[in-house]
Amino acid sequence: QVQLVESGGGSVQAGGSLRLSCATSRFYGTNCMGWFRQAPGKEREGVAAISTLGGSTYYADSVKGRFTISKDSAMNTVYLQMNSLKPEDTAMYYCAAGVFRCGLDSGQYNYWGQGTQVTVSS
């Protein structure tokens, strides 16, 4: 079992930045850590993912060049730096851990956090 706790969400104006953190109980046994988001009335979508082994990263087209995912293996923590935020980035953001292939498909993930809200105003 892997426990995940997100933090760092909040309200910000368009163009601003936020950094989300995901503290995990362990990286051992996982292959991938990902960030997903879900806005009201919309499906959950993959935002970014990072391999816990090799460090390869994956991004949704909508956030490329604005968001950066990173990890601190010593702290078992994954970060999502979000810059140039837009109102359409408003959503609940979830951290997830997977034990198989790495990517942006939510079906590849086995463990989920409770989420942290990000609200971007225009």
PDB file of all heavy atoms in Angstrom, residues 49 76 91 95 101:
ATOM      1  N   ALA A  49       3.558  13.098 -15.636  1.00  0.00           N
ATOM      2  CA  ALA A  49       3.991  11.876 -14.969  1.00  0.00           C
ATOM      3  C   ALA A  49       5.505  11.793 -15.008  1.00  0.00           C
ATOM      4  O   ALA A  49       6.147  12.371 -15.907  1.00  0.00           O
ATOM      5  CB  ALA A  49       3.377  10.644 -15.625  1.00  0.00           C
ATOM      6  N   ASN A  76      10.903  11.056  -0.918  1.00  0.00           N
ATOM      7  CA  ASN A  76       9.703  10.369  -1.431  1.00  0.00           C
ATOM      8  C   ASN A  76       8.600  11.366  -1.778  1.00  0.00           C
ATOM      9  O   ASN A  76       7.429  11.188  -1.421  1.00  0.00           O
ATOM     10  CB  ASN A  76       9.174   9.360  -0.402  1.00  0.00           C
ATOM     11  CG  ASN A  76      10.098   8.185  -0.224  1.00  0.00           C
ATOM     12  OD1 ASN A  76      10.881   7.865  -1.114  1.00  0.00           O
ATOM     13  ND2 ASN A  76      10.037   7.552   0.926  1.00  0.00           N
ATOM     14  N   ALA A  91      -9.106  23.174 -11.300  1.00  0.00           N
ATOM     15  CA  ALA A  91      -9.526  21.784 -11.135  1.00  0.00           C
ATOM     16  C   ALA A  91      -9.052  21.274  -9.782  1.00  0.00           C
ATOM     17  O   ALA A  91      -8.248  21.927  -9.098  1.00  0.00           O
ATOM     18  CB  ALA A  91      -8.939  20.895 -12.233  1.00  0.00           C
ATOM     19  N   CYS A  95      -2.654  13.349  -7.029  1.00  0.00           N
ATOM     20  CA  CYS A  95      -1.398  12.637  -7.195  1.00  0.00           C
ATOM     21  C   CYS A  95      -1.707  11.141  -7.223  1.00  0.00           C
ATOM     22  O   CYS A  95      -2.627  10.684  -6.524  1.00  0.00           O
ATOM     23  CB  CYS A  95      -0.475  12.972  -6.026  1.00  0.00           C
ATOM     24  SG  CYS A  95       1.105  12.124  -6.055  1.00  0.00           S
ATOM     25  N   ARG A 101       3.515   0.420 -16.238  1.00  0.00           N
ATOM     26  CA  ARG A 101       4.027   1.382 -17.207  1.00  0.00           C
ATOM     27  C   ARG A 101       3.731   2.808 -16.775  1.00  0.00           C
ATOM     28  O   ARG A 101       2.752   3.083 -16.100  1.00  0.00           O
ATOM     29  CB  ARG A 101       3.396   1.133 -18.576  1.00  0.00           C
ATOM     30  CG  ARG A 101       3.804  -0.175 -19.212  1.00  0.00           C
ATOM     31  CD  ARG A 101       3.407  -0.215 -20.685  1.00  0.00           C
ATOM     32  NE  ARG A 101       2.061   0.277 -20.906  1.00  0.00           N
ATOM     33  CZ  ARG A 101       1.583   0.599 -22.093  1.00  0.00           C
ATOM     34  NH1 ARG A 101       2.347   0.474 -23.163  1.00  0.00           N
ATOM     35  NH2 ARG A 101       0.355   1.024 -22.244  1.00  0.00           N
TER      36      ARG A 101
END
